[in-house]
Amino acid sequence: MQRIFIWGTGAIANLVLDQANVHGVYEILGYIDNDAEKCKKRFRGEKVFLPAILNEIVPDKIVILTDYFDEIKRQIEVEFPDMLNLVEDKRFFFKQSILRRYENSHNLEIQKVLEYIKENGLQVFNYKFADKYRNMLIDVKYDSDCELFYVYHGSKKLYFARFLDTELKVRQYYLSLLVEQDEESPHRYRMPEFDVNEGDVVVDVGVGEGNFSLEIIDRASKVYLIEADEEWVEAIRETFKEYQEKIVIIQKYATSIDEGQYATLDQLIGEPVDFIKMDIEGNEWDALLGAKNLICQSKRLKCAICSYHSDFDEILIKNVLESYGLNCSTTQGYMWHPDLLRRSYISLKLSRGIVQGIK
């Protein structure tokens, strides 16, 4: 059983320890904090020590459960250099659980993921392709007319929502888009054998910043942009202002009912379509239930539906698409998605990124 010090006694530590499988798996030696006042109290029933405790007790691991990982790691490097190789981040417990879960898997794709995790720690995308984006330089520009930041996505301006109000925030967000849509990514919507064709009518459900639709706008004949968030809609209008004759912006939540801000795709779109992309934070299955007529009446159709927001999305999405007459597959590779969206726990499952449906 590994002997572990946990560095951190705040909200991050509480969140991780509420979610992670710790007791009975690890020997928790105690908690470490730089705040001397916290050391006068207990945290989760255990004693809190100042960092000097590491001069007395050498653990197997030091797990940093704060948002100040880099700063604390530098402190350890200075004060306890021999222990730098013991440091782990806030995903350590989840990493160990995933490694245990799949240790006997014969799936070659999963084995490749596990090899990466062992060497690099647990990420959303556990592949070498993601590494090239970590220090990539991004030229972020500011449009003083609309007071929004933008970048050149290819040769076109891609605007960002007002809440991304610094160059750093925009840069980090845009890099996450590039990772998601890398040609090797499990999250890639388009690929050579599965793409938007010339003249297609496209439905983009959960547009966000609009990178997908901006990439295909020149070849599509019409694009329905469905996005409920007002701040993203503002940015979308700027991004697509030169394509007014091709786009239809719909500020609704796509669901299985028609009521107020909620609407079905069957109600919103009155013509056959050729390509549906959907990324709506775990509500994809519900939105597909409200798209039966649209999908069944579209004779030549491809669907790229995100399937990682909950542990059961892949099964649910495949079932409903197959019931509508589509043949289904998934993109290659796996993702780990820790965000608490449609579940109250941090997932310990590796999930497929996209369910592809075609007829």
Side-chain angles (χ1 to χ4, degrees):
M1 187 178 294
Q2 287 186 312
R3 301 164 66 250
I4 290 176
F5 270 121
I6 294 173
W7 194 311
T9 58
I12 297 297
N14 271 316
L15 173 64
V16 171
L17 293 169
D18 283 345
Q19 293 282 334
N21 182 19
V22 174
H23 296 291
V25 181
Y26 307 95
E27 180 184 350
I28 306 300
L29 299 172
Y31 297 87
I32 297 176
D33 201 291
N34 283 312
D35 188 341
E37 288 300 312
K38 290 188 175 182
C39 297
K40 298 176 181 178
K41 306 173 184 178
R42 287 184 171 268
F43 180 72
R44 299 178 74 96
E46 301 290 340
K47 190 171 181 179
V48 180
F49 300 95
L50 287 170
I53 189 65
L54 294 173
N55 289 318
E56 303 174 26
I57 304 174
V58 178
D60 296 313
K61 293 290 182 182
I62 303 169
V63 183
I64 300 175
L65 300 185
T66 81
D67 280 332
Y68 300 98
F69 176 83
D70 291 336
E71 294 86 342
I72 293 171
K73 187 175 180 181
R74 283 194 292 269
Q75 179 182 348
I76 293 172
E77 184 176 16
V78 172
E79 298 179 10
F80 313 98
D82 292 342
M83 296 190 185
L84 189 60
N85 65 324
L86 307 182
V87 173
E88 299 281 354
D89 66 12
K90 60 187 177 183
R91 295 178 173 179
F92 170 75
F93 296 119
F94 305 114
K95 177 186 82 171
Q96 296 300 109
S97 294
I98 287 175
L99 290 175
R100 287 194 297 271
R101 175 174 187 159
Y102 293 102
E103 63 184 349
N104 296 317
S105 173
H106 298 294
N107 183 315
L108 295 180
E109 287 183 278
I110 287 180
Q111 288 179 11
K112 181 179 179 181
V113 171
L114 298 185
E115 289 173 6
Y116 181 93
I117 291 173
K118 289 174 184 176
E119 294 181 9
N120 303 278
L122 180 62
Q123 314 293 330
V124 173
F125 298 101
N126 295 284
Y127 298 94
K128 289 183 179 179
F129 78 79
D131 298 342
K132 64 187 176 186
Y133 297 100
R134 299 195 194 285
N135 299 309
M136 181 178 286
L137 297 178
I138 301 297
D139 185 15
V140 178
K141 299 182 180 296
Y142 184 73
D143 189 328
S144 57
D145 291 335
C146 62
E147 299 181 326
L148 295 175
F149 286 102
Y150 69 93
V151 301
Y152 276 99
H153 188 61
S155 61
K156 300 181 178 70
K157 291 181 179 179
L158 180 66
Y159 284 82
F160 293 87
R162 199 167 292 280
F163 61 81
L164 295 172
D165 54 3
T166 68
E167 289 188 19
L168 177 60
K169 290 179 183 178
V170 172
R171 185 174 295 111
Q172 291 174 334
Y173 187 94
Y174 184 61
L175 283 173
S176 73
L177 299 180
L178 295 181
V179 174
E180 282 186 353
Q181 298 308 311
D182 185 272
E183 62 182 10
E184 297 182 52
S185 172
H187 194 292
R188 185 168 176 80
Y189 302 124
R190 303 165 47 234
M191 51 197 62
E193 69 278 12
F194 190 90
D195 206 347
V196 174
N197 295 319
E198 193 73 29
D200 278 355
V201 176
V202 177
V203 183
D204 187 349
V205 189
V207 180
E209 72 300 315
N211 64 319
F212 166 80
S213 287
L214 192 61
E215 290 170 7
I216 57 87
I217 190 67
D218 290 329
R219 71 179 71 170
S221 62
K222 181 189 286 189
V223 182
Y224 289 90
L225 301 169
I226 301 176
E227 175 57 56
D229 189 317
E230 175 61 38
E231 288 191 284
W232 277 127
V233 169
E234 179 188 20
I236 290 165
R237 293 188 192 282
E238 289 297 326
T239 294
F240 293 94
K241 60 187 176 184
E242 297 180 5
Y243 299 95
Q244 294 300 313
E245 76 286 356
K246 281 192 173 188
I247 65 166
V248 179
I249 298 175
I250 301 174
Q251 194 171 348
K252 294 276 190 178
Y253 293 99
T255 69
S256 59
I257 63 168
D258 293 302
E259 184 175 319
Q261 278 295 99
Y262 302 95
T264 63
L265 294 182
D266 283 344
Q267 189 271 332
L268 293 174
I269 300 171
E271 63 177 314
V273 301
D274 304 292
F275 199 107
I276 299 173
K277 165 258 174 180
M278 191 179 292
D279 185 352
I280 48 175
E281 307 301 325
N283 293 312
E284 291 84 2
W285 176 70
D286 188 51
L288 289 172
L289 293 179
K292 181 178 181 179
N293 292 337
L294 174 66
I295 292 175
C296 291
Q297 292 171 10
S298 298
K299 302 303 182 185
R300 185 173 61 94
L301 177 64
K302 300 186 188 87
C303 296
I305 314 296
C306 286
S307 58
Y308 57 87
H309 292 110
S310 89
D311 289 351
F312 307 103
D313 276 351
E314 179 186 340
I315 295 172
L316 294 172
I317 291 166
K318 279 183 175 179
N319 283 346
V320 70
L321 289 179
E322 287 171 353
S323 74
Y324 296 163
L326 280 74
N327 296 314
C328 291
S329 60
T330 62
T331 48
Q332 293 188 337
Y334 288 88
M335 296 171 57
W336 175 64
H337 191 68
D339 293 355
L340 302 176
L341 294 170
R342 278 184 55 217
R343 54 176 184 261
S344 59
Y345 59 90
I346 294 176
S347 178
L348 301 178
K349 182 176 182 290
L350 299 174
S351 298
R352 296 293 192 180
I354 304 289
V355 170
Q356 298 172 321
I358 189 167
K359 67 174 178 178

